[in-house]
Amino acid sequence: MSNLYDAVIIGSGFGGSIPALRLAQNGKKVLVLEQGYRNTENDFRQSWDPKYLVKMNQVIPSDDYAVFYRSGMTLGGGSVVFSGLMNRAPSEVFQFVDFRGYKVWPDAVTRQVMDPYYAMVEQMMSVRQATWDEVPKTGGTFARMMDTMGLTCDRANYPYINCRQCGFCEAGCIYGAKQSLMFNYIPQAEGAGVEFRTGCIAMTILPGPGGYSVQYMDPHSGQTSVQGTVVILAAGAIGSAAILLRSKQYLSQLSPQVGQNFNNNGDLIVGFELPDGWPPFYSYKGRTNAGVMTYAFWDEYRITIHTGSVPPAIFSGLNIHRPGEHAWGPGFKQWTKEIYFSKLIMCVVIGLVTGEGYVYLNNDYPLVHFSPTTPSFTDYVNKVVAVGSSIAKANNAMLLQTRTHGYEYTANHMLGTVRIGDDPALSPADPYGQVRGYPGLFVADSSSIPGGTGVNLSLTTAANAERIAAYIVTTW
């Protein structure tokens, strides 16, 4: 087995499999290292059992253990275990200036520049707008809540074919309806000669003659290494940053910004208890993401809101409760029985926030520091709560809390830790994802995304990977 490749890619999610295919189509010899294993419909289960879920998800805690960050750890990465929402980021996203006065996206990257790459991914993954017939009753109920306020709510875009609305999207689709990377980019890449090695944990990257050496743990032979003229990091916002931080002794010119600017895409979870008299909608039914979202608050607040199906496990995973009450005890148990099937609407709010967290190493193990009490993030939370309160008031509903005190900031949309940008002092990678000071070393996953996307991160990460891949093909 040869250990010399034109390109070695670490990670097989959106940031890895997409460049793998494009480089192989250009005649390059490509190897992809994936920490997880190959899973198909025969391996998936309709279960929220944590022992099952950790087989396909890497879970890394914040340093105060308040949040556990989740990223896909299977061939195909997050595309296998995400909710499926794939909307393009609004134009204003690419003009976002953080509270420090820094325009986070490079001037060369605009919505107009990204549109052709969005279109490429949408075609490859069969992304289309859901029909109203495909929107479950939960989504229809949320649309009614918006209509009560005189506001709009529309169907979102998804990579599904013949979805059965079972509600287990994030556990892996047993029906093969979700068109993850396992149905398009990966089989095409393998057909073009890309080698995927699973169960391989990348540790460090060393510069060498003609490229780089990637040291990794192989499930069969232990610690080994592979050489690549080009190396592309695609291990996620935590994983890619951790690999670079572990490699700092070999990559002495790395920017001190590596690991900084951690951003959760402004994700907050809010819930509503609807009043008596609404038609039943059975909140456990339908896709994980329930088909609709609203941009009604975008112009004023730069947030979007979408709802989803609610498995019973959400009551153990979140601290859902009425303000001033507790999320435990006999009274809470009775309350959950009363509201779960037809009164509980859970929503994810996504918005533009400054990345103020960071990833660091503790004995080579990555941890995340993210404080939700910074003045900037607190202002954002207050803004979301004001919007949530207005929705509740208009619908005679109650805005529920999702933490002991406050609102859950989610752990699924991590970005920004090796962000691209125009200012070398503030961005570890240039506008094309090349790590500054190290020609041929690229980052193409969510860690390269410099700021919130206003919607689910997946499509923008994939389109940006297409853009970076096009640059690599042209210049390398």
Side-chain angles (χ1 to χ4, degrees), residues 55-72:
K55 294 179 180 180
M56 297 183 298
N57 292 271
Q58 184 178 34
V59 180
I60 296 175
S62 59
D63 53 8
D64 61 358
Y65 290 92
V67 179
F68 289 83
Y69 296 96
R70 176 179 74 98
S71 59

Side-chain angles (χ1 to χ4, degrees), residues 292-317:
V292 297
M293 62 187 302
T294 182
Y295 291 83
F297 306 99
W298 179 256
D299 288 344
E300 184 174 358
Y301 298 102
R302 291 292 188 259
I303 63 173
T304 63
I305 308 175
H306 67 265
T307 187
S309 64
V310 183
I314 197 167
F315 286 102
S316 60

